């Protein structure tokens, strides 16, 4: 079952990259923001940068939106 979930997550990443999707995983979002990981996570914890969890769907994945990251960082 884990292999299926991992394959779906990998496919989602590939499709999003090719389609110019605004959705990023945590690693991509940190890189996109230009911040180091811990300051980025602090802003998420403070709810400055929104995170969208797929946990309610039993998918261990959190997504970040480029537009929301841009908006949040422009207010700092």
């Amino acid at each position: 079952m884990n292999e299926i979930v991992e394959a779906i997550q990998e496919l989602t990443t590939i499709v999003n990259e090719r389609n110019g999707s605004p959705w990023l995983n945590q690693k991509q979002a940190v890189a996109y923001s230009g911040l180091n990981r811990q300051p980025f996570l602090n802003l998420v914890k403070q709810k400055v940068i929104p995170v969208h969890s797929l946990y309610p769907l039993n998918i261990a994945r959190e997504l970040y939106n480029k537009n929301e990251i841009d908006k949040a960082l422009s207010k700092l």
Side-chain angles (χ1 to χ4, degrees):
M1 182 68 155
N2 285 341
E3 292 173 1
I4 293 171
V5 171
E6 289 174 14
I8 290 171
Q9 289 174 340
E10 186 176 339
L11 274 173
T12 301
T13 300
I14 291 168
V15 168
N16 286 344
E17 288 173 356
R18 290 190 180 157
N19 289 332
S21 172
W23 295 102
L24 305 169
N25 64 30
Q26 187 181 90
K27 185 176 179 180
Q28 293 167 325
V30 169
Y32 179 80
S33 73
L35 300 172
N36 289 323
R37 185 174 184 273
Q38 197 55 54
F40 179 87
L41 293 178
N42 288 342
L43 291 174
V44 171
K45 185 176 181 180
Q46 296 167 11
K47 300 186 187 280
V48 173
I49 296 175
V51 60
H52 303 273
S53 175
L54 299 179
Y55 293 140
L57 302 174
N58 293 320
I59 300 172
R61 187 166 179 133
E62 293 180 333
L63 298 175
Y64 302 83
N65 184 288
K66 287 180 183 179
N67 300 321
E68 292 173 345
I69 293 170
D70 290 340
K71 185 177 179 181
L73 295 179
S74 72
K75 293 180 179 180
L76 295 180

